[in-house]
Amino acid sequence: MSRHGQGPSYFLMQFLVLCLGKWVGPTYREVSCKHSPLSSHDISSLTHMLAQKMDSPLRHELNLALGLARQAALISRTVLSELLLTHQKSEVDSVTKSDFSPVTVADFAIQALLAGTLSKAFPDDGLVGEESADELRKDPRLLQKVAAVLKVAKGWEARDENHVCDVIDLCRGEGKGRTWVFDPIDGTKTFLKGQQYAINIALLAEGEGWRGREEVMSVVACPLLDWTLGAMGGATVINDASVDKTGKGAVIYCVKSHGVFVEPLFNKTDDEKPRRVPQHAGQVTAIEELKSVTCWQSLDSGVDTMHERVAERLGMDFPGNDLLGWVNRWVCLALGLANTTIWVYKKRERKAKIWDHAGAMLLFKEVGGKITDVDGKDIDLTQGRLLGQNFGFLAAPQKVHGLVLEAVKEAMRERENLNTVSGST
């Protein structure tokens, strides 16, 4: 039951060296310009590259989202570099939301970048994001820092500080019709420790017939994840402290029905071609092949003992891959480091937030995975900012999803019976 990987202090030192060597000063500025999402030269080159690897009607949207993911990642690393250089968390401004998770300068700056760029490029599309500008409007110093950090990114520039707040608040609705959904920093708590985090950009559209709203595109930036993970198969197991020492990071993306690709997020060389991820989950036919990803003893929302009990029923090593952020867990599933995750909330009234899952779930579906809630219902993305019709998550390879679901239901029935006898809630 032990966590895997080296301790965070080793990776913090490695990351600090990389920050000093690659992401600050002249070299950092060169990288920033190279990955400008709105550079006409870069758009032309990237569009040609995408045409070769993905024949999709959403090529333009994918191109822009990939550029934005890289710019957003640069913003996140700028803030993280400041944290590591000072060695004091207090040097990175944060406030506290109602769910007690920290919100950093990077969260606000990235949401402003995404909302400002996408609203200009696609003015008829809806926007849904995690943050609101309420705290920024109350704290001029924090707003100034957000506006300053935004200057790292190229391609979108706020008119003034009020404009920063205004574009952030474009994302406060629930989205109608075609809608972009994003989480500026998923895993903020681990981000502040220099550990795994992700930037999630998803595009939803109206589905055909009964489908309602569905995921049609996903772009996820993982600045501290090794992009080669999963390429050679094997039994690699990662956790939040498994930080990529090369500094390249990973961007993983897909368009519905066109497969999943992964490539370096930073400093990509000509011989590092985008890698298409095989449909590994679609090839799993037995429960003996299941591999877990979960969040073990780090979140209070789930029932750790329930997740452990289901793993025992299935004969699955547990916890396996151990990641705090949901987006990182979906990426882990997509890359083949895992192929199963179960999450039972402690209370029925607990509902998931759409930005933690939309788009990133599509990555696993594209490699042969099936995703429902723990009651076996499809995930309903039509309910606005919360997944109000679903309880928990169950992701597993298509051919064995039913067996995993039955194990979950049996464990839930046992827990309900136990709670009835003991008088627990």
Side-chain angles (χ1 to χ4, degrees):
M1 302 290 177
S2 62
R3 296 176 65 98
H4 299 267
Q6 300 186 57
S9 59
Y10 170 82
F11 293 111
L12 283 173
M13 291 304 297
Q14 293 292 325
F15 186 75
L16 178 60
V17 171
L18 288 168
C19 287
L20 290 170
K22 293 186 178 181
W23 304 319
V24 295
T27 304
Y28 179 81
R29 288 193 291 271
E30 291 169 8
V31 172
S32 297
C33 294
K34 179 180 178 181
H35 294 304
S36 169
L38 296 183
S39 161
S40 60
H41 173 73
D42 286 348
I43 287 177
S44 175
S45 300
L46 187 53
T47 300
H48 176 70
M49 179 181 68
L50 291 173
Q52 294 178 339
K53 67 188 177 188
M54 184 180 289
D55 182 17
S56 164
L58 295 175
R59 198 178 303 154
H60 174 56
E61 287 85 345
L62 178 62
N63 174 41
L64 182 57
L66 283 169
L68 282 172
R70 288 188 163 93
Q71 292 295 305
L74 288 172
I75 288 174
S76 72
R77 282 187 160 175
T78 299
V79 175
L80 190 54
S81 296
E82 179 183 350
L83 169 67
L84 296 177
L85 287 168
T86 59
H87 294 279
Q88 294 181 17
K89 293 182 183 179
S90 60
E91 295 295 324
V92 178
D93 282 8
S94 65
V95 296
T96 301
K97 295 186 296 187
S98 59
D99 62 358
F100 303 107
S101 60
V103 182
T104 64
V105 171
D107 281 294
F108 290 119
I110 290 171
Q111 184 155 314
L113 170 71
L114 298 179
T117 306
L118 292 172
S119 63
K120 183 177 181 180
F122 307 106
D124 295 329
D125 290 358
L127 300 174
V128 174
E130 181 174 8
E131 313 302 345
S132 81
D134 291 347
E135 293 294 336
L136 291 181
R137 296 183 193 278
K138 297 175 185 176
D139 189 340
R141 180 174 171 272
L142 181 60
L143 178 55
Q144 289 173 4
K145 293 204 73 171
V146 170
V149 169
L150 263 171
K151 294 179 181 178
V152 170
K154 308 296 180 182
W156 181 81
E157 185 174 347
R159 294 189 298 270
D160 51 38
E161 291 175 358
N162 286 332
H163 188 208
V164 173
C165 294
D166 291 341
V167 296
I168 288 174
D169 281 342
L170 290 175
C171 309
R172 299 183 74 165
E174 297 186 349
K176 303 294 182 183
R178 203 175 88 149
T179 302
W180 295 86
V181 179
F182 34 81
D183 189 345
I185 298 285
D186 181 69
T188 313
K189 294 177 182 177
T190 44
F191 168 74
L192 290 172
K193 298 177 183 178
Q195 297 180 337
Q196 289 296 334
Y197 67 97
I199 299 161
N200 188 32
I201 305 172
L203 180 60
L204 309 183
E206 297 301 318
E208 298 177 2
W210 58 270
R211 293 177 182 172
R213 179 182 290 181
E214 62 179 354
E215 304 157 293
V216 295
M217 192 186 80
S218 172
V219 174
V220 176
C222 299
L224 301 181
L225 188 71
D226 184 348
W227 80 283
T228 65
L229 287 174
M232 305 304 292
T236 302
V237 176
I238 64 170
N239 60 29
D240 287 316
S242 302
V243 175
D244 172 28
K245 292 178 285 186
T246 69
K248 288 183 175 291
V251 58
I252 181 169
Y253 52 94
C254 72
V255 171
K256 187 176 182 290
S257 302
H258 288 77
V260 174
F261 295 82
V262 60
E263 60 185 79
L265 182 61
F266 297 104
N267 304 325
K268 181 181 174 184
T269 62
D270 291 339
D271 60 341
E272 291 174 327
K273 306 298 182 184
R275 172 169 59 89
R276 182 163 189 154
V277 180
Q279 287 197 313
H280 56 83
Q283 300 170 9
V284 173
T285 59
I287 60 173
E288 290 79 13
E289 301 173 73
L290 298 181
K291 298 180 290 184
S292 169
V293 59
T294 190
C295 178
W296 176 240
Q297 296 182 333
S298 296
L299 282 179
D300 190 50
S301 65
V303 187
D304 284 326
T305 54
M306 173 73 69
H307 307 149
E308 185 177 20
R309 189 176 300 121
V310 173
E312 290 174 353
R313 283 180 175 275
L314 297 170
M316 184 169 56
D317 288 343
F318 187 84
N321 300 273
D322 187 1
L323 297 165
L324 178 70
W326 260 111
V327 176
N328 279 119
R329 281 181 255 173
W330 293 121
V331 167
C332 182
L333 288 162
L335 292 177
L337 304 178
N339 54 32
T340 305
T341 193
I342 301 116
W343 197 257
V344 181
Y345 288 117
K346 287 184 176 180
K347 298 181 179 180
R348 273 276 169 183
E349 56 268 27
R350 176 66 183 254
K351 303 301 178 184
K353 299 164 184 173
I354 193 170
W355 48 80
D356 289 333
H357 306 280
M361 293 187 296
L362 181 62
L363 296 170
F364 185 51
K365 296 175 187 176
E366 285 291 301
V367 296
K370 180 177 179 178
I371 303 169
T372 66
D373 66 11
V374 294
D375 295 321
K377 297 192 299 184
D378 291 334
I379 304 301
D380 185 349
L381 299 173
T382 68
Q383 301 300 303
R385 297 171 68 83
L386 299 179
L387 305 182
Q389 295 300 310
N390 295 111
F391 176 61
F393 291 90
L394 193 167
Q398 291 178 359
K399 295 176 183 177
V400 297
H401 184 279
L403 296 175
V404 178
L405 177 60
E406 185 54 37
V408 173
K409 288 184 174 180
E410 289 179 4
M412 290 175 65
R413 284 193 293 266
E414 288 180 0
R415 179 171 180 263
E416 288 170 0
N417 292 337
L418 179 61
N419 287 342
T420 300
V421 172
S422 65
S424 302
T425 57

